[in-house]
Amino acid sequence: MKLEFFQRKFWTASRQCAALDGKCSISCDNENINCYLIDNNGFILVAEDFSQTGVFFGEVEGAVMNKLLIMGSFKRVTLYDYQAICKIFAESSDSAHSLLDPYFAFFAAVKWLMTELVIFLVEFNLYSWWYSDLTAKAHRGGRTMLVPCDTEYPAFVSERTIKETMGNIDCEGCLKSFVIQQIPSSNLFMVVVDSKCDCQSSIPITMEPIEIMYILFRLVGEVRRPAVTLKDRRRPDSCHPFHPEENAMECGGALGLAPQAAATLLLALFSLLAR
């Protein structure tokens, strides 16, 4: 089932009421309320704003999500990622280094052009030339690096025993009300929130990961000093350099490749310029 068709079915069902005249006293078409359809992990499936589809509910309605956590309708679970990548900012150690930025930018541009030319001659294709995102620009003050790290991030799970919940939130001068009800035979919830009261002071609840810093203690003399380090990776217990069913004679014929004179000269010239 496509998402657009599912959303149309939801809005059609939300306008149907069990009254004798078929009219609803209040519906999602009302400007004073916002209707959401979320799953049991708090992600929005259907919203009046289509750009909110797939967004975590706590980022859109932080006050309501915080109230649901306090009431026990949802619970927070901490997950860990031991193969994450973190960004660090490496600052320059030389304050006079910024005076040479124009020269470094010029030499970086020359090195980039030579690299692209060498790759073009070696690989004999234009892919790396047209689709390269390398840019030569001066970095003032430092640069961003990607390093392996461990992170933790929150996840949210609904309480199965709660089928319907309603509550009020005091938002500094106004009262924000909401209703959440589970849709039968599914893991989905319909949430109706009062839009007249805007809790601007409430902080959105996100699922952004946080880097884990491991604190190890070492004895220096008689003083126990903490040292913040990253957790070491565990090496394999054994090495497997070959397989009994593998025939080394059937490997590729790389020995038959001969170097080209033009590519060799350009590589030598590039190594001299890089010094």
Side-chain angles (χ1 to χ4, degrees), residues 60 69 94 109 121 131 138 144 156 197 209 237 260 270:
V60 180
L69 290 172
D94 187 3
L121 294 176
Y131 294 96
T144 302
F156 301 89
C197 180
D237 297 331
Q260 296 185 0
F270 175 74

Side-chain angles (χ1 to χ4, degrees), residues 77-82 151-156 207 209-210 212:
V77 180
T78 302
L79 301 179
Y80 299 92
D81 185 1
Y82 296 105
T151 59
E152 66 176 22
Y153 58 95
F156 301 89
M207 301 179 66
I210 302 175
I212 302 175

Side-chain angles (χ1 to χ4, degrees), residues 11 20 78 85 108 168 182 203 227 257 270 273:
W11 293 123
L20 296 177
T78 302
I85 297 295
N168 297 316
Q182 183 183 14
I203 301 176
L257 299 178
F270 175 74
L273 292 176

Side-chain angles (χ1 to χ4, degrees), residues 10-30 33 35 190:
F10 171 76
W11 293 123
T12 301
S14 65
R15 297 185 180 95
Q16 298 177 357
C17 298
L20 296 177
D21 54 359
K23 296 182 180 180
C24 300
S25 58
I26 187 172
S27 66
C28 293
D29 296 330
N30 195 326
I33 62 174
C35 297
M190 182 175 180

Side-chain angles (χ1 to χ4, degrees), residues 92 94-105 138-141:
S92 176
D94 187 3
S95 60
H97 186 273
S98 60
L99 299 176
L100 300 177
D101 281 344
Y103 300 98
F104 286 121
H139 292 276
R140 302 180 183 272

